[in-house]
Amino acid sequence: MTDTATPAVARYGEDAEAAIAAVSARVRNWDRWGPDDARGTVNFIDEAKRIAAAALVRRGETFSLSLPFDNDGPQNGWKRRINPVHTMTSTGMDTAESMGLPHGLSVADDCVFMPLQCSTQWDGLGHVFDHGIGWNNRVAARTVTSEGDLATGIENVAEPLVSRGVLLDVGRALADGELPDGYAITPADLDATITAQGMASEVGRGDILLVRTGQLTRVRRGTGWGTYAGGPAPGLSFTTAEWLHAREIAAVATDTWGVEVRPNEFPNAMQPLHQVLLPHVGMLLGEMWDLDRLAADCAADGVYEFLLAAQPLPFTGAVGSPVNPIAVK
C-alpha cells in the first residue's frame, strides 16, 4: 500500500481488479427488474415519485444544466470525440426564386454532426462493460454491435427520466466553492454536504443526484478548456459505489468530464467506478453538466431539491446521448 493512499486504496488495497470484482458482487442489481430489463436504476422512478417532485415547484423558475453545443466545446479529440459541427444547409441568402417556393417563401435549414457524448450527456447502460459483460449479465459482443445497442439503447430511458433532483454542492460545502483537481469525494463528504445543506438534501429512492465539484467554475476563469476533457479533476471516489447503491438513486451526474476522480485512485486504473455502476448497478452517469447557476440559486434560498427533467434524445441503439436537463424550482 502506498504511503499516501487514496480513499479507495486505503479501503480496498491496490489491486483494482480485485476491488472491482468485490464491490460489483455486493452492489449487483442483475435480474432485479427481470432478465429483459433495459432501464436499470431508472426503474426506481415511479409515478408517485414524479408527483412528489412536481410539488417541489414553487417559483416556476427554470435552470438549464447544459453546456452550449457548439464548436467551442470541451473536446480535444480523445477517442475521436470532437465538438459539434453545425452546418447550414440553406440560409437567408437563399431566396424564394432560387428555392422555387411560392409566394415569396424561403427557409433556413441546418444539420449537426457530433459524437453523442461530446458535451452535456448521459452515459447509457451499453457504454461500459466488465470483462465483456454488460448490464443485467448480457454478453457485450452480442449486445452492442455495429448495429448499435440491441438491448439497452438509450431510447429505453428517454421517457421516464423526470424525478426529484437533489444538488449536493460539495465544492461549496467542503471548500471555498471549488474542490482541487484529484480530490476524491468520499461517502463521508457526501454525508457532510447533506448535513451542511440541511436534511431536505437527503438523497433517496428514485432521486437524480447532482454533484457539483466546482471544476467547471475554475475552468471558466481560465483561457480555455485546457485538460477538462479527460485530465485531472475532482470527482467521486470508488468508495461511493456502495453509498449510491444503498440509497437506490436513479442516476448521478456531475460538472466534470468523467464523474469519478481523475487521476483514478488505483494504480493503472481506467474509470473503475464506471466499471461497477454501469454494468453491475445499472446506473446512468451524467457528465459535463453545468450546475453553477443552479448552485448559486440553491445557496441563496437554501433549497437544494427540485423537479428535474433530464430525458436523453431517443437515438435508437445509442450508448449515450446529449441532454439539456431542466431543473424547475
Side-chain angles (χ1 to χ4, degrees):
M1 187 174 294
T2 60
D3 292 333
T4 56
T6 67
V9 168
R11 181 168 179 178
Y12 302 111
E14 292 193 350
D15 188 338
E17 189 165 4
I20 291 167
V23 173
S24 295
R26 288 197 287 272
V27 301
R28 188 171 292 137
N29 280 328
W30 292 351
D31 287 329
R32 185 167 185 168
W33 298 282
D36 297 325
D37 180 68
R39 292 183 172 182
T41 55
V42 172
N43 283 295
F44 288 133
I45 306 173
D46 58 18
E47 292 82 357
K49 188 70 183 183
R50 294 192 193 95
I51 292 170
L56 297 174
V57 177
R58 295 289 187 267
R59 291 151 40 201
E61 185 166 357
T62 57
F63 300 82
S64 170
L65 310 183
S66 178
L67 296 172
F69 286 85
D70 58 34
N71 196 47
D72 295 321
Q75 294 302 324
N76 56 24
W78 182 81
K79 286 290 185 180
R80 295 184 290 278
R81 290 184 184 174
I82 62 170
N83 294 311
V85 178
H86 177 219
T87 302
M88 298 303 301
T89 54
S90 59
T91 73
M93 299 176 66
D94 299 310
T95 66
E97 288 77 13
S98 64
M99 287 186 170
L101 300 175
H103 314 305
L105 175 69
S106 58
V107 301
D109 244 333
D110 48 5
C111 63
V112 173
F113 172 82
M114 59 180 286
L116 296 183
Q117 299 183 47
C118 71
S119 190
T120 305
Q121 56 98 16
W122 284 118
D123 280 348
L125 296 183
H127 177 52
V128 169
F129 311 105
D130 181 11
H131 291 77
I133 300 298
W135 165 240
N136 227 17
N137 200 25
R138 294 181 173 96
V139 176
R142 296 200 298 266
T143 303
V144 182
T145 72
S146 59
E147 299 298 317
D149 186 336
L150 306 179
T152 54
I154 202 73
E155 74 276 9
N156 289 286
V157 292
E159 187 174 59
L161 270 166
V162 179
S163 190
R164 174 181 181 250
V166 179
L167 174 68
L168 294 188
D169 192 347
V170 185
R172 195 180 304 266
L174 302 187
D176 192 19
E178 304 166 21
L179 298 175
D181 291 340
Y183 185 93
I185 299 169
T186 65
D189 292 333
L190 296 174
D191 288 336
T193 301
I194 292 170
T195 299
Q197 293 181 178
M199 294 314 293
S201 296
E202 187 64 65
V203 182
R205 184 183 179 96
D207 291 336
I208 301 174
L209 171 62
L210 310 182
V211 177
R212 180 183 172 274
T213 70
Q215 188 196 32
L216 184 58
T217 310
R218 182 165 58 253
V219 168
R220 283 179 165 140
R221 285 202 307 273
T223 57
W225 287 102
T227 60
Y228 178 77
L236 295 179
S237 167
F238 183 80
T239 60
T240 61
E242 293 174 81
W243 190 96
L244 295 168
H245 173 258
R247 279 151 183 77
E248 298 185 330
I249 68 170
V252 60
T254 73
D255 58 348
T256 68
W257 171 86
V259 174
E260 55 192 289
V261 62
R262 293 185 59 82
N264 297 138
E265 295 169 274
F266 296 105
N268 303 314
M270 178 60 187
Q271 302 298 79
L273 188 60
H274 277 62
Q275 196 170 341
V276 172
L277 293 182
L278 284 164
H280 293 284
V281 180
M283 185 176 293
L284 300 183
L285 303 179
E287 297 169 339
M288 295 177 284
W289 288 36
D290 184 355
L291 305 177
D292 283 353
R293 192 170 78 88
L294 174 65
D297 188 87
C298 292
D301 69 2
V303 178
Y304 291 83
E305 57 178 349
F306 36 82
L307 174 66
L308 180 62
Q311 301 95 326
L313 298 178
F315 290 107
T316 301
V319 299
S321 172
V323 61
N324 177 26
I326 302 294
V328 189
K329 292 186 70 178

